Amino acid sequence: MLLGISSPFIVAAAIGWAYDNQYAVYAGLGLSAFSSFGIISLCVEFGIEITFKPGMNLGGTVGGVVQLAGNVIGAAIIIIATPGIMPLLAPTETPIFLLTLMTIGGLLLTLTINPVYRRQTFERLNSEISDALSVAYT
């Protein structure tokens, strides 16, 4: 989902990078970050959903892990995009490499993760039990 929203902006930044147009790079990366900012809350909610245990509040922990993962990935992108770090890539090939890496990584994560939605299951079971008890006592 994130890749679909921000890909056009990343492609614009990659084209700007290839043509040495700093305005296209800044606009593309800025709009990519702006359009992707809302995904953080979705990632936190998804993490809470799959790590849910009744009586435990894991929201802060999940938020910290999501933030840590975002910072690690951001640092890796900065390191890869720094001129001279990747001697095998020409400066114009670096954004294409990053876009390809993000596409493959996003597709692998999307297609291989099959989560169990624990909170939804817990709430559904609780509502079924409540309904059964209310019917039994009426």
Side-chain angles (χ1 to χ4, degrees), residues 47-100:
I48 291 171
E49 186 71 44
I50 62 174
T51 60
F52 178 77
K53 289 187 180 180
M56 295 184 72
N57 186 6
L58 296 174
T61 305
V62 170
V65 169
V66 168
Q67 191 67 39
L68 176 67
N71 289 341
V72 167
I73 291 169
I77 288 173
I78 289 171
I79 290 170
I80 291 170
T82 302
I85 296 291
M86 299 285 289
L88 301 175
L89 295 174
T92 56
E93 295 171 344
T94 302
I96 304 301
F97 171 74
L98 289 174
L99 185 61
T100 305

Side-chain angles (χ1 to χ4, degrees), residues 8-10 12-13 21-34:
F9 303 123
I10 295 173
N21 184 343
Q22 66 183 12
Y23 299 112
V25 173
Y26 293 143
L29 292 179
L31 288 171
S32 170
F34 177 75

